[in-house]
Amino acid sequence: MCGITGYLAAASAAAPGDISRWVEASANILRHRGPDDGGAWHDERAEVALGHRRLSIIDLSAAGRQPMESASGRYVVTYNGEIYNFATLRDELTTAGSRFRSQSDTEVLLAAIEHWGFEGALQRTNGMFALAVWDTLERCLLLARDRFGQKPLYYAWTGNTFLFASEIGALRAYPAFAAEIDRDNVSLLLRHSAIPAPFTVYRHCWKLLPGTWLRVSVNDTKTITVSEPTPYWSAAEAARAGLADPWTEGAEAAVDALEEHLRDAVRACMVSDVPLGAFLSGGIDSSSVVALMQEASSRPVRTFSIGFTEASYNEADHAKAVAAHLGTDHTELYVRPEEARSVIPSLPEIYDEPFADASQIPTFLVSRLARGSVTVSLSGDGGDEIFGGYNRYTWSRHIERACRTAPLSLRKWTTRRLMARSPQQWDRIHEALASLAPSKLRQNRFGEKLHKLAGVLDSPSREEMYWRLVSQWTDPLSAMHGAAEPATRLSRRDDWPRMPAFVQQLMLLDTLVYLPDDILVKLDRASMAVSLESRVPLLDHRVFEFAWRLPIEQKIDRGVGKQILRRVLYRHVPRELIERPKMGFGVPIGAWLRDTGLGEWASDLLAPDSLKASGFFDPVRIQAVWREHKSGERNHQYALWPVLMFEAWRRHSEQTAPGSGGARQLAS
């Protein structure tokens, strides 16, 4: 895993050596992504330069150093990621006449581009990556990102200069980059807890969409032209192709086939020249990955989990039981609230762009724990989107039915009644009745989930229901000054992918937006902050394509998701170790914000004078929400956290001089 950066100018007034200096400074900001080595390449004739920071995983020798030139010298690449099927591609290319001097997947990638062309090579890869290739013959820059967006890639285009980097902070090392906050895009942070691609927090700066590539060239008039991102793979098209070719060989054969696909994906992700392990929560996704890892390993797999003293947020006991059954070498760390809270001041630096999914905290903690023993860790992310694990998929059916049968007035009345009690009151009621209910109906953080359900129960349509579920602020502009919320794929409902069932539409929308813009951002930044490579075998595109051939009943049945994945897992782990309510991976931010220490931090950021000076948020509106939260009357953690994360990030950015090129010092 690495960090990449680069610069292309059509006609600049840069002095000799300036461009190389800028690229090296930008790469140095990415040192945490690649602490083992670094390099830069500069073609003065074309005013193009590429930079790289290396975390050595495959072929640890100097032969794997980047930027790397192809055998013919036509292409130069700077690349972040792993090509899992590089050995297969290498054999195929060797048969076709290619010769290799290293064991690195980077050299195989370059040979593939020379042999099949840029897009052809991308279509043959199985992996996670963000890359940039300079074509010395066509004199153009080619950028690409992996199918699901596991690896980040930012680019900025201002005047006659084009810049790119793995993280947005690295762009600030270039004098040509104008770090001007885009007020409109901040409204997206309030709605989604993240700023969805292609938008970023800055003007004239974008994220490359997953599964796409673009071409940047200098034309005859000495101006830069940038193509529209071109898909080389589409999750929506892959889903439609799967539905058009449904599985017909029976349910048990489907379990066999899925297990084999997962086994192959996990083994591909286990190829490494450095120590390797896995995150283990004890849930279905991570347990499935670890079970297949242990099956493929001749020694105990290293597994890692974080525990919390708050029972409703603690999964460590479940993880420990699964690890004991599978025989892994398990490490767990119970984190006191004050230890977890101590990470919060570092979040603006760790996440680089404003990001407000509070599970970013435990994700960083478990990454830091794992990095003490391994350099690569596998994760179970992606299972919810592919196999129907989120509660909203079950809720959608019930609310859709309610929208058809119950009058809107009745649903509004029910919402008012449910919201009349606080989440804590509903928790006490649920605990009193839980012993009378089947275990599968019991819920962790029942009151919190009930309030979230109540917030969408009076939706006039099923589409509005989903829109509210993915919105932390249903009207973010009410909390902002002078912003206009940009249209996104989620707000443009006519642009939603057409699917036979509404729940399938939701699963695909989450794959296209929530997965790359929230889940994978969280994992990448948390792991890379401690120089840990994270791999996600469930996001092997072959697993995704197979899963979409299956009927929805093999994923969600009688209100329970991941049915077929559960059946695979039960072949390796007893059902009783797994069957329990879905918990998620979070921390009690709402309660912490009422505590003295974190409450003072939040009060400082949300102070009327501070918000007025910042100029982004309406102090009156924000203070009203803050007072209601502090009183315990309502839990507004999901609305407050994006505001807090933005204000903390803004202060940090103002204190960091653009272009300083200094390496980051993160929480240890």
Side-chain angles (χ1 to χ4, degrees):
M1 201 61 59
C2 307
I4 65 174
T5 184
Y7 174 99
L8 174 64
S12 74
D18 280 352
I19 295 176
S20 293
R21 206 159 39 246
W22 296 336
V23 169
E24 289 168 3
S26 179
N28 195 41
I29 291 173
L30 299 170
R31 183 182 295 271
H32 57 285
R33 298 187 71 92
D36 297 329
D37 195 9
W41 176 89
H42 181 201
D43 183 345
E44 294 184 3
R45 297 169 303 163
E47 291 195 272
V48 61
L50 308 177
H52 190 264
R53 289 300 315 182
R54 184 184 184 194
L55 177 63
S56 302
I57 303 294
I58 303 293
D59 189 347
L60 311 185
S61 73
R65 179 174 294 166
Q66 296 184 52
M68 183 184 291
E69 294 187 32
S70 65
S72 69
R74 175 176 175 177
Y75 299 105
V76 185
V77 69
T78 183
Y79 147 67
N80 164 32
E82 301 290 346
I83 305 300
Y84 300 132
N85 64 334
F86 79 96
T88 301
L89 294 176
R90 180 190 174 105
D91 290 344
E92 190 173 350
L93 290 163
T94 299
T95 300
S98 297
R99 295 293 178 264
F100 297 92
R101 59 182 178 79
S102 75
Q103 299 300 314
S104 75
D105 58 338
T106 309
E107 189 180 12
V108 172
L109 176 63
L110 280 168
I113 293 170
E114 288 207 310
H115 187 71
W116 290 302
F118 190 69
E119 187 168 6
L122 295 175
Q123 291 169 343
R124 285 169 171 81
T125 59
N126 176 15
M128 56 176 183
F129 52 82
L131 59 92
V133 173
W134 175 248
D135 183 340
T136 61
L137 180 63
E138 297 288 338
R139 304 187 75 74
C140 65
L141 186 66
L142 305 170
L143 274 66
R145 194 174 177 204
D146 66 67
R147 291 171 175 84
F148 292 99
Q150 295 179 63
K151 294 293 102 187
L153 188 53
Y154 292 86
Y155 63 96
W157 176 26
T158 54
N160 287 334
T161 305
F162 182 90
L163 314 167
F164 70 87
S166 294
E167 295 182 9
I168 203 167
L171 295 175
R172 297 177 64 187
Y174 296 103
F177 182 70
E180 181 184 356
I181 296 174
D182 191 314
R183 183 180 302 272
D184 294 346
N185 293 354
V186 175
S187 69
L188 297 174
L189 176 71
L190 264 61
R191 184 176 293 280
H192 299 296
S193 294
I195 299 176
F199 303 104
T200 74
V201 73
Y202 290 128
R203 297 184 187 278
H204 310 300
C205 181
W206 299 269
K207 302 180 184 86
L208 186 62
L209 291 166
T212 67
W213 66 278
L214 60 78
R215 176 188 176 105
V216 186
S217 55
V218 180
N219 62 24
D220 294 336
T221 61
K222 290 295 183 181
T223 58
I224 287 178
T225 59
V226 181
S227 71
E228 288 295 317
T230 302
Y232 65 88
W233 185 86
S234 163
E237 290 302 319
R240 281 190 278 268
L243 292 171
D245 182 26
W247 181 263
T248 59
E249 298 178 35
E252 194 61 30
V255 178
D256 293 339
L258 176 60
E259 183 174 25
E260 192 54 40
H261 279 299
L262 292 174
R263 182 177 287 118
D264 189 44
V266 167
R267 287 177 174 170
C269 286
M270 292 177 69
V271 176
S272 173
D273 293 336
V274 294
L276 174 143
F279 301 143
L280 178 62
S281 70
I284 295 163
D285 303 332
S286 65
S287 297
S288 298
V289 169
V290 170
L292 294 172
M293 286 180 72
Q294 192 56 71
E295 178 188 76
S297 179
S298 60
R299 65 185 68 178
V301 170
R302 296 296 308 267
T303 54
F304 306 90
S305 66
I306 292 289
F308 293 97
T309 55
E310 295 91 340
S312 61
Y313 290 86
N314 182 45
E315 290 189 287
D317 290 343
H318 304 296
K320 185 176 182 178
V322 172
H325 177 80
L326 294 173
T328 71
D329 181 1
H330 189 60
T331 301
E332 66 178 11
L333 175 65
Y334 272 82
V335 181
R336 297 189 304 274
E338 55 270 24
E339 291 177 297
R341 290 196 295 261
S342 70
V343 173
I344 291 173
S346 298
L347 292 178
E349 193 168 17
I350 294 170
Y351 285 89
D352 191 51
E353 184 181 26
F355 181 77
D357 181 336
S359 59
Q360 62 199 126
I361 298 170
T363 305
F364 173 76
L365 290 170
V366 76
S367 296
R368 188 172 65 182
L369 175 67
R371 188 62 177 95
S373 304
V374 300
T375 310
V376 177
S377 187
L378 273 61
S379 166
D381 290 294
D384 287 308
E385 292 82 0
I386 297 175
F387 296 104
Y390 291 130
N391 289 323
R392 57 176 165 261
Y393 302 147
T394 301
W395 293 352
S396 69
R397 293 186 171 189
H398 299 316
I399 297 175
E400 185 179 11
R401 190 179 303 115
C403 288
R404 290 196 309 266
T405 60
L408 182 59
S409 59
L410 176 60
R411 288 185 276 123
K412 287 184 176 181
W413 178 86
T414 304
T415 292
R416 289 194 298 271
R417 298 293 292 177
L418 293 175
M419 297 294 283
R421 297 180 186 271
S422 69
Q424 294 82 2
Q425 290 174 313
W426 282 117
D427 282 341
R428 288 192 289 270
I429 293 171
H430 178 65
E431 289 168 9
L433 299 175
S435 60
L436 304 176
S439 60
K440 68 178 182 179
L441 297 180
R442 299 170 192 166
Q443 292 287 327
N444 288 296
R445 305 194 293 278
F446 175 78
E448 178 185 314
K449 294 174 182 176
L450 191 63
H451 265 225
K452 192 165 187 177
L453 177 60
V456 302
L457 188 59
D458 61 347
S459 301
S461 68
R462 62 187 191 179
E463 290 79 13
E464 176 66 19
M465 177 272 298
Y466 176 73
W467 182 235
R468 292 190 195 179
L469 280 173
V470 298
S471 300
Q472 312 308 333
W473 287 80
T474 55
D475 183 12
L477 301 185
S478 69
M480 296 195 66
H481 286 311
E485 186 176 357
T488 66
R489 182 156 199 169
L490 292 184
S491 64
R492 297 189 303 265
R493 296 180 188 176
D494 291 343
D495 197 31
W496 287 14
R498 302 301 173 194
M499 290 285 117
F502 183 54
V503 68
Q504 292 172 312
Q505 190 175 41
L506 302 190
M507 291 167 63
L508 186 52
L509 283 170
D510 282 342
T511 300
L512 294 170
V513 181
Y514 181 60
L515 179 67
D517 294 325
D518 186 307
I519 300 298
L520 296 177
V521 169
K522 176 178 62 180
L523 179 64
D524 174 81
R525 303 305 191 279
S527 58
M528 284 282 88
V530 294
S531 306
L532 175 75
E533 174 169 304
S534 56
R535 297 179 178 178
V536 190
L538 296 184
L539 292 184
D540 187 305
H541 66 281
R542 298 166 300 173
V543 173
F544 180 86
E545 291 165 357
F546 173 77
W548 274 92
R549 296 183 62 199
L550 303 174
I552 191 63
E553 293 76 17
Q554 289 199 20
K555 301 172 188 176
I556 305 171
D557 186 38
R558 288 171 288 186
V560 180
K562 302 182 187 175
Q563 290 287 348
I564 189 168
L565 189 57
R566 291 171 189 267
R567 292 185 63 186
V568 171
L569 179 57
Y570 295 155
R571 294 177 173 183
H572 302 269
V573 176
R575 180 188 298 257
E576 57 268 22
L577 294 185
I578 301 299
E579 287 290 352
R580 64 182 188 277
K582 183 175 177 60
M583 183 173 289
F585 194 44
V587 290
I589 283 291
W592 289 358
L593 288 174
R594 297 187 187 100
D595 291 346
T596 302
L598 199 59
E600 291 176 354
W601 168 82
S603 291
D604 176 54
L605 289 170
L606 302 180
D609 288 346
S610 176
L611 292 177
K612 186 176 180 180
S614 167
F616 287 91
F617 302 114
D618 179 358
V620 175
R621 180 79 172 96
I622 298 300
Q623 276 292 307
V625 174
W626 178 224
R627 284 194 301 270
E628 199 170 56
H629 181 83
K630 284 194 298 182
S631 71
E633 184 180 348
R634 288 286 183 270
N635 181 7
H636 288 307
Q637 66 181 55
Y638 298 110
L640 290 168
W641 198 242
V643 179
L644 289 165
M645 284 293 95
F646 175 81
E647 285 297 315
W649 172 87
R650 182 189 60 79
R651 286 190 185 182
H652 175 265
S653 296
E654 290 177 352
Q655 295 165 1
T656 306
S660 65
R664 307 194 317 179
Q665 298 296 321
L666 299 174
S668 61

